[in-house]
Amino acid sequence: MNPLKRLGRRRASVLSLLAVAALVTPGAATAAPDGVRASTLGAQAAQSGRYFGTAVAAGRLGDGTYTGILDREFNSVTPENEMKWDTIERSRGSFNFGPGDQIANRAAARGQRLRGHTLVWHQQLPGWVSSIRDANTLRSVMNNHITQVMNHYKGKVHAWDVVNEAFADGGSGQMRSSVFRDVLGTGFIEQAFRTARSADPSAKLCYNDYNIENWSDAKTQGVYRMVRDFKARGVPIDCVGLQSHFGAGGPPAGFQTTLSNFAALGVDVQITELDIAQAPAAAYANTVRACMNVARCTGITVWGIRDSDSWRSGENPLLFDRNGNKKPAYQSTLSALGGSAAAQRTAAPSPRSAAALPSSFRWSSSGALIAPKPDSTHNIAGIKDPSVVHYNGKYHVFASTASSAGYNLVYLSFSDWSQAGSATHHYLDRTAIGAGYRAAPQVFYNTQQRLWYLVYQTGNASYSTNPDISNPNGWSAPRNFYSSMPDIIRQNIGNGYWVDMWVICDSANCYLFSSDDNGHLYRSQTTVGQFPNGFTNTVIAAQDSKFAMFEASNVYKVQGSNQYLLLVEAIGSDGRRYFRSWTASSLAGSWSPLAASESNPFAKSSNVTFPAGTWTRDISHGEMIRAGYDQTLTIPACQLQYLYQGKDPNAGGDYNNLPWRLGLLTQTNSTC
Ligand code: 9MR
């Protein structure tokens, strides 16, 4: 992060951004391990960590053809009717778990997972409930039903449809009229979810509905607003079930967008009741592919096994015909899951078994989650350059505070992103870190020394240590890594600035990377034993034209692979910030382009969607959400998240006074 004014330069025309020749040795993509294709739906879905389930009717469990397919193909089941209110609590306080148990016990005996369907629904609701007019009575009846049923199935049901079909069809985007809404008000859904969380804290809590698959539909938007509001206020919700009862055309064009937009709110999505009129093979494949393309789409359930088992049997909407034979849609579904009917062993990579990163990325962004909190002595315009670890159940975020008076550091922690905006900001100029120019922090835990390190720029590369990351007052006074700027930097920096120091260690060495706002990435090294002393042998690790390799470099170890990932912030031809990426097989190695161009960026406004509204065109200085928190800076290979700085696209003026805010990118094209 450049401490001084850079206004004007960002508008300069940027030449030959795509010229990366100086930087790389070409080729060298990491080979994915061989995958094994499975021959059944459940086994193939399991290879990507997903389930493939079906609705099951207790009344059909005596049919050998039915159970034969059920046990061969499916690894999750949903009772089609047996856990609904009119079966379980037909009269007040008298619970009949028999049919539900039959399905639950059978599934448990075969290692099949169980979805619970459904606790609060206006249909299949006994008359004694729908005729209640007193709110206190209905509230206690609803809470009691949820509690009793969830208690009974505790440990057996992995996800519950807590509330089913509460939104109205048509253009209102509002909740439908039902005894629950009419007597309890629209808050009944929140009440149901809170009760459900207390009843079984380890079950995933889903909202389930139909006709919410098309992103632009008012009903979809209504449910989206509710989930966003729940996440923002900390109302417990873990998943959204999209029933997906489709016509012969299959899913709407924007189906995957809907899945990823919900997922970006921080919930899982599941396709819960899939059936498609006439079961066209392509329509099934499109549906499955949309789920496979969204990391948080955790499973698919078809609503029945054979066409003759379907609630819409006249439309033959399922994967097996009346005789239990596989239909063409079965084959297309299996291939879309990544499998093949022949169960051949193949050298083709299985999408989920590869630990390597993809070569292009797509993201969905949150809104601005963290804004500055000026106080009487901190007149702050922007919060910038975040560093983040997840440790001890909390996110710990360190960031620069920027104002016309200069830069310093701030610390905040919170347990959930929905709480990020309300976290207390601890200004670190009040600690031994002290006032004056400190910026662009990077935090990690040194496991040998059992100390947290905060690395930051002060004009030199500096650090403080702290035995307890959660204690802002525990940081030591700044110390420098170098006695002075290394010669090679002095010789190459031109009229740039020495910024954005970054430490990462492997088992032998620690490396200190830094940038110069002038096209160079520098690297020094020391041994793990000597760290934090002894940084020497400074070299140019990568170089390009000034704006193509500007600043804010991150280097990570990719979990489960031999890959390291380099991100560097560039300034695009539109004057906006974005990230380029490279990989290498060692920290001292040469970097090969991964998504390294303006047209195939790692993260840029062009590959980020903003379901909550486009609040920035800059994707600027930030950090990946790591898999751990130690000096190896290990990130997951899948489902990446990146905390970044963005700002109002219309803001201008003094760079130090720009209104930077922090937002979170979530990868939407993870294949694992
Ligand atoms: O498939 C179920 C059918 O056997 C029942 O008669 C019907 C009663 O309303 O419910 C069917 O399942 C529904 C599910 O519970 C919720 N979403 C719509 C499904 C199809 O109607």
Side-chain angles (χ1 to χ4, degrees), residues 194-268:
R194 290 191 186 279
T195 303
R197 180 65 98 227
S198 318
D200 182 355
S202 50
K204 296 254 190 191
L205 307 182
C206 308
Y207 176 79
N208 191 52
D209 214 328
Y210 65 91
N211 283 354
I212 58 166
E213 294 82 12
N214 188 11
W215 175 240
S216 58
D217 284 357
K219 189 171 173 183
T220 311
Q221 292 296 310
V223 173
Y224 180 82
R225 278 193 299 272
M226 177 189 74
V227 177
R228 186 174 62 190
D229 169 59
F230 278 18
K231 294 302 283 184
R233 291 190 298 113
V235 179
I237 183 165
D238 307 306
C239 36
V240 173
L242 297 97
Q243 294 184 5
S244 307
H245 296 293
F246 292 135
F255 184 45
Q256 187 177 316
T257 302
T258 306
L259 294 175
S260 51
N261 287 349
F262 274 114
L265 292 176
V267 289
D268 290 344

Side-chain angles (χ1 to χ4, degrees), residues 80-81 84 117 121 123-124 164-165 243 245 273 303 311:
E80 189 173 357
N81 292 297
K84 292 174 180 171
H117 176 80
W121 186 25
Q123 284 186 30
Q124 289 175 280
N164 193 40
E165 301 176 6
Q243 294 184 5
H245 296 293
E273 302 181 13
W303 206 239
W311 70 297

Side-chain angles (χ1 to χ4, degrees), residues 213 244 246-256 274 276 282-288 290:
E213 294 82 12
S244 307
F246 292 135
F255 184 45
Q256 187 177 316
L274 178 61
I276 308 181
Y284 264 96
N286 290 340
T287 309
V288 172

Side-chain angles (χ1 to χ4, degrees), residues 112-285:
Q112 291 159 325
R113 309 180 77 190
L114 186 63
R115 287 196 88 257
H117 176 80
T118 173
L119 295 165
V120 180
W121 186 25
H122 63 283
Q123 284 186 30
Q124 289 175 280
L125 186 67
W128 70 267
V129 184
S130 48
S131 57
I132 296 173
R133 290 289 165 268
D134 174 63
N136 287 335
T137 308
L138 184 59
R139 192 174 305 109
S140 88
V141 159
M142 179 182 84
N143 289 340
N144 183 54
H145 181 79
I146 294 170
T147 306
Q148 299 292 331
V149 178
M150 289 187 78
N151 269 340
H152 181 83
Y153 288 110
K154 216 177 242 181
K156 293 187 173 161
V157 166
H158 71 90
W160 268 106
D161 291 332
V162 177
V163 175
N164 193 40
E165 301 176 6
F167 275 73
D169 294 313
S172 76
Q174 303 299 310
M175 289 177 199
R176 70 168 73 239
S177 166
S178 73
V179 66
F180 299 108
R181 196 215 61 177
D182 299 348
V183 175
L184 297 178
T186 55
F188 86 89
I189 303 184
E190 173 170 349
Q191 171 81 72
F193 274 83
R194 290 191 186 279
T195 303
R197 180 65 98 227
S198 318
D200 182 355
S202 50
K204 296 254 190 191
L205 307 182
C206 308
Y207 176 79
N208 191 52
D209 214 328
Y210 65 91
N211 283 354
I212 58 166
E213 294 82 12
N214 188 11
W215 175 240
S216 58
D217 284 357
K219 189 171 173 183
T220 311
Q221 292 296 310
V223 173
Y224 180 82
R225 278 193 299 272
M226 177 189 74
V227 177
R228 186 174 62 190
D229 169 59
F230 278 18
K231 294 302 283 184
R233 291 190 298 113
V235 179
I237 183 165
D238 307 306
C239 36
V240 173
L242 297 97
Q243 294 184 5
S244 307
H245 296 293
F246 292 135
F255 184 45
Q256 187 177 316
T257 302
T258 306
L259 294 175
S260 51
N261 287 349
F262 274 114
L265 292 176
V267 289
D268 290 344
V269 289
Q270 302 172 350
I271 295 175
T272 51
E273 302 181 13
L274 178 61
D275 49 23
I276 308 181
Q278 314 312 331
Y284 264 96

